[in-house]
Amino acid sequence: RIESVRTILNRVQAAVDKLAAAAPDDIGVQRTRAAMLTLFGDIYLRTGDTVSAGKTYETALALRRRLVTLAGDSGTQDRELTVMLTRYGDFQLRAGKIREALALYVEALEIARRVAARDPNGIDSQPDVWFTLVKVGDARMAMADTSGAVAAYREALDIARRLAGAKDAPPERQRDLLMSLSAYGEGQ
């Protein structure tokens, strides 16, 4: 089964890579390729091929970094880079590479904060800051850095409270608040 999956993914990737090579500066084409690579990394991971998953995530991350450069000051590209950094951080954490995961989460947090600073009252970018703070806290907890974890969880909790209390807050914000309360409680 794994070989069948690999054969199909390789064929699709060859076609998309050919298109991407023909349009190296086309943001739309390169975004499609980055999304494809991320999805392929997920598939490799689910099928137990962690080596291919890691390599594919690394390629997707490099492409996401390039897209930020191509797009200039684009919140969309920054957000997609944040998501990829977090995804690769999760991969590293599962592989037991806690320091590498933490570095990826911290980078994602820096970008999420920068995006949120562009629109401090916006409710769309704040959940990314909350989410990456939770990831930073989880990695710090895995490293037995309880005080660092609690600090990250505390800041995440403050954001979750603010978001959950906003007028017309979607139900997800209540869930985020519960998750933050739980993480903060575990860290204490």
Side-chain angles (χ1 to χ4, degrees), residues 10-133:
N10 285 338
R11 285 182 187 159
V12 172
Q13 185 171 346
V16 173
D17 286 350
K18 186 176 179 180
L19 177 62
D25 294 331
D26 185 309
I27 291 174
V29 170
Q30 298 303 327
R31 280 183 74 200
T32 299
R33 182 170 177 253
M36 175 204 69
L37 289 167
T38 303
L39 178 61
F40 286 7
D42 294 346
I43 292 169
Y44 286 132
L45 192 58
R46 277 188 238 127
T47 59
D49 185 354
T50 56
V51 172
S52 293
K55 289 178 182 177
T56 305
Y57 284 146
E58 287 172 8
T59 303
L61 178 55
L63 183 53
R64 288 289 181 199
R65 290 182 194 284
R66 184 171 173 270
L67 281 165
V68 167
T69 302
L70 278 174
D73 193 20
S74 166
T76 301
Q77 298 309 319
D78 285 339
R79 182 174 193 288
E80 290 175 359
L81 175 57
T82 299
V83 170
M84 188 65 234
L85 286 161
T86 303
R87 170 100 27 96
Y88 192 44
D90 291 346
F91 173 80
Q92 295 287 31
L93 194 62
R94 276 192 295 271
K97 297 179 178 180
I98 301 168
R99 290 192 188 286
E100 292 87 343
L102 179 59
L104 292 161
Y105 294 149
V106 166
E107 183 181 353
L109 178 59
E110 290 167 359
I111 296 166
R113 286 186 196 280
R114 190 171 60 236
V115 170
R118 291 180 195 144
D119 186 16
N121 296 323
I123 59 168
D124 293 334
S125 58
Q126 295 300 317
D128 290 338
V129 176
W130 166 81
F131 184 74
T132 52
L133 278 164

